[in-house]
């Protein structure tokens, strides 16, 4: 059963407005996209991936354009509710999906977000049967280093986020890929320090990466993008 009534509505009004405004912008931009290209979709970890800049400044050697439809604070339920704007209007040939960290961070029951994720995949395969779907392992984070946030902010952000939780969730996503004709990929090589935490030189808050972190991810993704 579609769980389209469980979008988070208790987010700060500024975040909700940002999400709505960005979806409207994407809907307008979708009218000019070329079909059969590559799509990045997910939460803030996709939204801030500077792929447009990378494509403009670097010779990536791709014969397709990469479109980014990430939106911060997005959950699996949010994506289910907006799949036309974020996926189907673009008619991509490849989809790279990084979704679910907010479900984990917002303490959404595991069964609920995995069911949502499964339904996302089922809808994609029903409407885009020739599209290749790549499910990305969750990026590592760093909950031990200080990035200038106060104690309350730190506890709020990491109350339900850890590398152990993300590793377990990535294993669940890998199982979903096996069950729903998708491909699970781990493109995190080079992101961690000796302790397995996200390198401090690659992040501005321990959970989100700087461009140099995404550059490493992009290099790891290249075999799948070509």
């Amino acid at each position: 059963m579609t769980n389209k009534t469980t979008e988070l509505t208790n987010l700060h009004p500024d975040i909700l407005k940002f999400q709505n405004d960005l979806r409207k912008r994407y809907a307008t931009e979708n009218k000019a996209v070329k079909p059969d290209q590559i799509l990045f979709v997910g939460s803030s970890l996709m939204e801030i991936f500077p792929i447009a800049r990378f494509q403009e400044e670097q010779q990536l050697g791709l014969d397709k354009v990469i479109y980014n439809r990430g939106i911060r604070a997005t959950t699996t339920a949010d994506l289910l509710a907006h799949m036309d704007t974020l996926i189907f209007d673009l008619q991509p040939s490849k989809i790279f999906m990084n979704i679910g960290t907010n479900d984990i961070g917002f303490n959404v029951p595991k069964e609920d977000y995995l069911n949502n994720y499964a339904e996302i995949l089922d809808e994609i395969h029903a409407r885009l049967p020739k599209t290749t779907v790549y499910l990305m392992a969750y990026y590592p984070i760093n909950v031990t280093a200080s990035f200038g946030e106060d104690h309350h902010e730190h506890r709020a952000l990491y109350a339900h986020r850890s590398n152990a939780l993300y590793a377990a969730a990535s294993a669940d996503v890998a199982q979903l890929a096996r069950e729903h004709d998708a491909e699970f990929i781990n493109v995190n090589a080079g992101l961690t320090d000796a302790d397995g935490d996200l390198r401090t030189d690659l992040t501005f808050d321990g959970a989100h990466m700087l461009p140099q972190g995404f550059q490493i991810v992009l290099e790891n993704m290249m075999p799948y993008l070509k």
Side-chain angles (χ1 to χ4, degrees):
M1 180 180 296
T2 301
N3 192 17
K4 294 187 178 180
T5 60
T6 60
E7 292 177 89
L8 292 174
T9 57
N10 59 345
L11 294 173
H12 192 282
D14 289 347
I15 296 295
L16 293 173
K17 182 180 185 302
F18 181 92
Q19 290 178 326
N20 289 330
D21 289 347
L22 188 53
R23 282 191 290 263
K24 290 176 182 177
R25 195 191 90 191
Y26 285 160
T28 299
E29 293 177 355
N30 288 347
K31 298 175 182 178
V33 303
K34 296 186 291 186
D36 299 318
Q37 305 303 302
I38 299 171
L39 173 64
F40 284 8
V41 67
S43 61
S44 59
L45 299 174
M46 275 304 195
E47 181 197 333
I48 66 173
F49 198 131
I51 191 60
R53 195 185 90 192
F54 288 165
Q55 290 179 100
E56 182 179 348
E57 297 177 353
Q58 303 176 26
Q59 297 294 323
L60 300 183
L62 302 177
D63 60 1
K64 294 182 182 296
V65 176
I66 303 172
Y67 296 110
N68 190 337
R69 293 297 180 264
I71 300 179
R72 67 192 62 179
T74 289
T75 64
T76 54
D78 295 326
L79 182 54
L80 261 178
H82 300 283
M83 290 185 72
D84 284 338
T85 298
L86 301 179
I87 296 177
F88 296 127
D89 288 351
L90 294 96
Q91 296 290 302
S93 62
K94 291 183 178 182
I95 298 172
F96 291 82
M97 190 177 304
N98 190 333
I99 190 73
T101 54
N102 287 317
D103 297 80
I104 298 167
F106 299 150
N107 206 25
V108 174
K110 173 179 172 180
E111 181 179 3
D112 288 354
Y113 77 77
L114 290 179
N115 285 341
N116 290 340
Y117 210 143
E119 187 164 354
I120 290 166
L121 297 175
D122 287 342
E123 290 199 22
I124 291 172
H125 288 308
R127 295 179 59 176
L128 299 172
K130 296 182 180 180
T131 296
T132 304
V133 182
Y134 296 92
L135 310 185
M136 298 173 66
Y138 299 121
Y139 300 137
I141 59 177
N142 191 319
V143 305
T144 57
S146 174
F147 297 93
E149 74 276 25
D150 64 31
H151 181 67
H152 175 75
E153 290 175 329
H154 186 91
R155 288 191 62 185
L157 180 59
Y158 295 115
H160 302 288
R161 301 176 195 263
S162 71
N163 284 322
L165 285 172
Y166 282 6
S170 289
D172 292 330
V173 172
Q175 182 62 33
L176 283 175
R178 290 189 289 270
E179 295 172 352
H180 294 270
D181 194 27
E183 185 170 348
F184 176 78
I185 59 172
N186 187 324
V187 290
N188 298 343
L191 298 179
T192 55
D193 60 22
D195 296 320
D197 293 323
L198 180 61
R199 287 164 42 190
T200 56
D201 61 314
L202 301 180
T203 178
F204 57 89
D205 63 358
H208 299 89
M209 285 189 289
L210 295 162
Q212 51 264 42
F214 287 111
Q215 181 67 54
I216 293 172
V217 171
L218 177 61
E219 292 169 2
N220 294 335
M221 292 177 75
M222 288 307 296
Y224 308 103
L225 292 168
K226 292 183 176 180

